[in-house]
Every structure is written in structure tokens, then in C-alpha cells.
Amino acid sequence: MNAKFRHAMSPLRIGPVTIPNRLVRTAHATLFSRGDITDAHIRYHLARAKSGVGLSIIEGVSVHRSSSYSLTMTDDASIAPLRRLVEAMEPTGMKLFQQLWHGGSIEIAPNGGPPWAVTALPGRYSRMPAIAMSTRQIAELVRAYGDAAVRQAEAGLHGAEVLAGQGYLFSQFLSPRLNTRTDAYGGSFENRIRILEELLSEIRARVPSSFALGARMGASSEPTILRVEEANEAILHLERKGLLDYVNISQGDYYFHVERYAGMDQPAGYQVDVTREIGKGVAIPRIVVGRLGTLDDAEQVLRTGVAEMVNLVRATIADPDLVRKELEGRAEEVRPCIGCNQGCIGGLFSGRMGCTVNPTVGYEATLGEDLITPTQRRQRIVVVGGGPAGMEAARVSALAGHDVTLFEAAPDLGGQINLASRLPKNHGIGDITKWLEREIFRLGVEVHLSSYVDAGEVLAKKPDVVILATGSMPQASGTLVQTAAPYIDVRIDPSARILTSEELIYADPGALGRSAVVFDDVGHYEALGCCEHLLERGLDVTYLTRHAIFVPEIDKTGRAQAALRRFYRMGNFRILTNSLVLSVREGEVEWRPIDGVRAETVPADTTVLVLYREAFRELWDACAETGLKVYAVGDALSPRDLVAAMREGHLCARSIDDPTIEARWNNM
């Protein structure tokens, strides 16, 4: 055992099951499977198991027709696919539990109809009222949980976890505010916890004694819904009844949903304090969650005694080899999770989980980095541009054994990320470019900084492949072409103070005035960061956009919700959606709704324009005409975000030795 991580790497007994260490990957949606476990799902978990994680709790399964989820455990046909997953993990020593799930009023039923819930009250983001469960339906659901747990045991899983928090069905029953029932399942604490007691007892009575049983529980983001003290009381009650072998403490629900998976605006271990309160007096093993990303984080938390196990989900999504690397003393080689939530949480809205910093997530069978082998034909690769796309392309090319040279025009590597990291609450985004920089130097990439190269200088290196990662530039100043209305000639007064986001970062705060408009055509973090930058300096801020909601590309990650909670407490902040700019004058912006006719004005001593950038690709034609193999990646292909930059840089480099990969990304 590595003495540095004595607590983290020590075994732990969870009821009848011994896990080899205290590192846990708790249940998280991936959408890699629909109905039954797929090969992609198995390879995803196997990559993390091989690194040395002690326990994985597989994402939830729907146990009953009244609530839908991507995985189901409603009949015996689900046993064999799950058994394949168990058998694949068995040689690694990692133990496997799985979450049993029912959304209550949060999710509709699989047939598109209303779900079963504690009452008919819709959930926070529900589309329809629920069906208030009858006592007969409660009994049916309790049996369904028992049936599902039996199937899990038959498949070879080592345990099950009942999702009893995070705003789903059983936390709705526990809530004295949401549970307005007048029968045996409502009213007193004993009644509100009755359904949870019954189904845990049902499972206990039907699974083998070797099968562990736990629950994921926590308080509401809104204390009047379910207080910390009430969550603690519920855990202690179930523990006294002998119904739980462990508890997975996770704070938050849909009343402030980002609390469950906060991004880079929250520190590592942000749930430690509330875990201490919810887990007070609890003797069974407790799991703590909350942006813990390294074995050092895990060790420090375990030493405090706040929990006996530490969750490392997002950290091991970013780098499946995290545990092995750290135990081998290679912590600096661990690819960091930057807490952006764009690939993992945001990816689910696009159909499947991914990872901003690790493009191979979910594709381990075909793109896992363990599949990168020394090339049979070493080639000279020239990369122009040292932002994330260029550095990722250089890193992966060097991993395969190619001779790689990288040119960067600026004096530092990092590209646009160097600017993005200067915006409020966004400094963590720079962790990935710092890691990329360390890796390309470790792998022997020849790097030339402050080197603005032309085609002749590129060709002088006699490259076999040229990768253009030259990034993008702001639109020409003095004009404003709006995506929603390119036919409008926006009148811009020469006396108006107009800035790009980059200019705002370096602007004299004293020259900004008292009010500002941030016009956002893009809908990503850039506008959010500009708003916060201005609010921190005491300005009244109006966010004006063509979009229907505030920064829609970030809204899906939860970070927009967290930002709005800050903004409305910081000062005078206003949102104007579905809107256009008509003119920018000294001290004000004239605007109207996209489909409106009446113009209005809003004060603006400073106007910040967040517009789509223009690809910087002047080397493309000159290099392509030579007959060389030339690729453009990231913003040089089309200005987008970090997800696209990392993905294209990675796939471009992989396609050098495997041309079949090229079709996945190259539109040139």
C-alpha cells in the first residue's frame, strides 16, 4: 500500500461486502445503454475498474412501468446483459452495486403519460401533474423494488442502492411540504418514511445475505422542502431498523439542481460540510461527494472522519487511469477534470455523456488511449497553433511516436483559454491547457513560441502532415451583424463605448461607467463571464440576446442557474431575451423584441459585444496547394467551444494512422 494514501487505499466492509479501497464511483447517467447494458457501457466501466477504483455504483435502473430511465430492471431479460458487465469487472477486483430508481413527479412514465408520485403536484420541471399513488400502487411498487433487487443479485452484483434523495420519489414522500397525504403514508415522520421502510424490508427479505443494501439520501436545496436535520433523522431511523449497510450522502434537488454537481465555480469538497451534518451520528459507512478530484483530496477528507468513502466520478471520467497514475507517483500526468460540466452533464442533453477534456469517453472500445500503439510509419507532423486543439493534436501524435513540431505565435501556450480563465469563476478551465503543455513537453514535442509562421516556414520543416489549429479572431470592429436579423443595419454612434470580451478583461474599471449592456449572440460562457465581471465592478448590467433563455449552451450544465443566483444578489441585473439591438449610442442601447415593433432603450455606458468569431485560416490555401495532407481543427475549422477543440485535435491525430477516423470530424 502507498503510505501517502493510507486511508484512501485501505479496505472497507459494507455490510457483507468488502471493497478493496475507499474510492467510489457513484451512480451517474451516461445513456450509453438503452434498456440493456451495451458493450460500450461495459468498456467504459472496465477502463476505470482496471485503474484501481474500489467500488462502482452503476447508474440507476427503472424498476416499474410508472417511471422511465435509460436502463430497466423490470423483467428477467435484463439479467443476462447485466451479468456480462459483472463478469467483465470481476478480474479487476472492483465491486459493483447498482442504483434502483424511481423519479416520482420528476420524470414522465415510459408511455409518455403521467408518472406515479406521492401526490398529484408536478415536479419542478415536470410537464404534467402526476398520479397520486394509492395504497395498492404503493404495494405494487414495493414488490417491484424487491423483484429488481433479486434480478440484480442473480446477475452477480454485490449490492444495490435505493435512490431516496435528490428530489426523486422517496425524498418527495419524506418531505413534510410535498407530502400532503392523509393516509398511512403521510403526516407524521413515521408515516412519511413508511414506504422507504417497506421497500428496504422487502429487498432485505428476498436477496441473499451476501448482498449489500444502501441508499442515496440528502436534504433539499430549499430547506422548507426537506431540511438537513430531517434527512439525518431519516438515515438514523433506517440504520436503527437494520435496513442500510451504507448511505451515499448527496445534497440538493431540482429546486437548485446544480448543487448536486456543481461546476468550477465551487471548490473541491464543496459538500463536505453538509455531509458532516447529514451524516452526524451515523455508524454505517458514509459516502461524500462534491468535486473531489484527486487521491490527495480523498485522503484529506477521509482523515477528517466526515465519511468513510469518497466519490471520484467526474475525476475518473476525465482520466480513467487516475488511481494508477497517482499510486505510481505520476500525479502530474493525470488529466484534470475542469468542472465545466459541458461533456458529462451537458452531453446528456445531446443524447449521451461525454467529457470535454477526454474525447474517448464512451468510445473506449475504439478510441481508448490504451489502443494507441507505436506507429509503423513515423511521420513529420507540424502543428500550427498552441491552443487546446493544437496541443491535443500534438500530444496524441507524439503518443503514437510521430516526430512533432508545434508553432505558436503568442509567447505562451493556451490560446483562447488564457483569456477565458481570466473571467470570474472560470480560472479552472486553464487546468487542461496546463496539463496539455506538460504532456507535450514530456513527450518530446518540439515547441516554438512567439513564432508566427508563413507557408514557407511550415514547408521548410518538410512535413508529411500539417495540422492548422490557428484559432479565430473577433469580428471586425465597428459593425454588428446579428444572427437573428442580419438584414438590420445596426447604427453605432462613434462616441459609444463598445468592447469585445477580451477588451473588457483588460479595460480600466474606472472607465466602464455605471451601466452596461452585454449583447450575446453566441449563448455560451463568454457572455456569462462578462456579466459577472461587470457586476463585480458595481455596474448595473443588462443581458440582451436573441436566445430564448440566459446563455442556453451553459444552462444545460447547471452553471447558468448557479450564476443567476449570484447575479441577482450582486446588484441590478436584467435579462432581455428574444431581442435585437437596433442602435448603440453614447450612454444607451436601443432594442426591441425580435418579433416586436416598438423600440425601447436601456442605459449602457459600456456595451460588450459577444459575437461569433471568424476562423483564422490564412495558411490553409497555401499549404493545401502543395498537395500535403493538411487539416484544420478547432476554431480554425469553425469557431466553437473547448469540447469541439479537444475532440477534433484528438481525432485528427488518431486519423494519421487510422484514416477511417477522419470521417468522424473532418468537413474540409
Side-chain angles (χ1 to χ4, degrees), residues 475-489:
Q475 289 185 21
S477 60
T479 61
L480 172 52
V481 179
Q482 302 173 88
T483 301
Y487 47 84
I488 291 180
D489 293 323

Side-chain angles (χ1 to χ4, degrees), residues 288-588:
V288 63
V289 306
R291 282 210 67 210
L292 296 160
T294 67
L295 295 194
D296 283 318
D297 289 343
E299 186 70 14
Q300 183 175 344
V301 168
L302 292 170
R303 285 175 181 172
T304 68
V306 70
E308 288 69 44
M309 293 175 281
V310 173
N311 174 50
L312 294 177
V313 167
R314 282 181 286 180
T316 54
I317 293 173
D319 195 330
D321 294 320
L322 180 150
V323 178
R324 180 189 302 122
K325 288 178 180 177
E326 292 213 40
L327 291 178
E328 293 175 355
R330 298 187 291 133
E332 286 202 345
E333 295 179 29
V334 173
R335 181 192 292 106
C337 167
I338 59 175
C340 68
N341 287 353
Q342 286 178 241
C344 50
I345 306 301
L348 297 175
F349 291 86
S350 300
R352 72 198 317 269
M353 187 192 80
C355 179
T356 298
V357 301
N358 184 356
T360 72
V361 169
Y363 302 97
E364 285 78 7
T366 55
L367 289 176
E369 290 199 8
D370 59 322
L371 301 178
I372 299 177
T373 56
T375 181
Q376 298 299 305
R377 178 171 167 257
R378 192 178 191 201
Q379 300 185 62
R380 292 189 186 92
I381 315 298
V382 171
V383 179
V384 185
M391 284 197 285
E392 177 68 356
R395 181 187 74 87
V396 176
S397 298
L399 274 177
H402 294 293
D403 180 4
V404 185
T405 301
L406 183 148
F407 292 101
E408 167 55 43
D412 301 296
L413 296 170
Q416 291 295 315
I417 299 301
N418 293 340
L419 292 172
S421 64
R422 296 178 65 93
L423 288 169
K425 308 290 186 183
N426 211 44
H427 59 277
I429 198 171
D431 290 348
I432 185 57
T433 47
K434 292 185 182 73
W435 176 78
L436 286 167
E437 182 174 354
R438 291 195 302 271
E439 284 296 286
I440 63 174
F441 280 112
R442 183 181 69 84
L443 293 167
V445 173
E446 180 184 328
V447 176
H448 298 270
L449 299 175
S450 301
S451 299
Y452 188 96
V453 294
D454 58 23
E457 290 166 304
V458 171
L459 297 176
K461 298 294 291 186
K462 301 188 184 309
D464 298 295
V465 177
V466 177
I467 300 174
L468 300 179
T470 44
S472 59
M473 302 175 295
Q475 289 185 21
S477 60
T479 61
L480 172 52
V481 179
Q482 302 173 88
T483 301
Y487 47 84
I488 291 180
D489 293 323
V490 178
R491 300 183 300 277
I492 298 180
D493 191 322
S495 62
R497 183 185 292 111
I498 298 179
L499 302 175
T500 65
S501 58
E502 180 177 347
E503 291 167 338
L504 175 64
I505 290 171
Y506 295 108
D508 176 6
L512 296 173
R514 300 178 59 185
S515 62
V517 165
V518 175
F519 173 70
D520 180 22
D521 209 29
V522 179
H524 214 283
Y525 179 82
E526 185 179 356
L528 185 158
C530 290
C531 289
E532 189 153 12
H533 180 92
L534 292 161
L535 286 166
E536 286 183 347
R537 283 148 184 79
L539 278 75
D540 296 340
V541 177
T542 299
Y543 170 86
L544 194 154
T545 185
R546 67 182 172 97
H547 298 290
I549 61 173
F550 179 61
V551 290
E553 293 303 310
I554 293 298
D555 179 75
K556 63 187 70 171
T557 72
R559 293 179 65 199
Q561 184 188 34
L564 288 176
R565 180 166 286 200
R566 295 193 302 272
F567 290 4
Y568 288 123
R569 289 161 172 77
M570 291 172 71
N572 187 3
F573 179 69
R574 181 186 184 190
I575 296 176
L576 299 173
T577 57
N578 294 305
S579 299
L580 299 173
V581 173
L582 301 178
S583 68
V584 183
R585 302 191 285 263
E586 184 176 4
E588 66 180 14

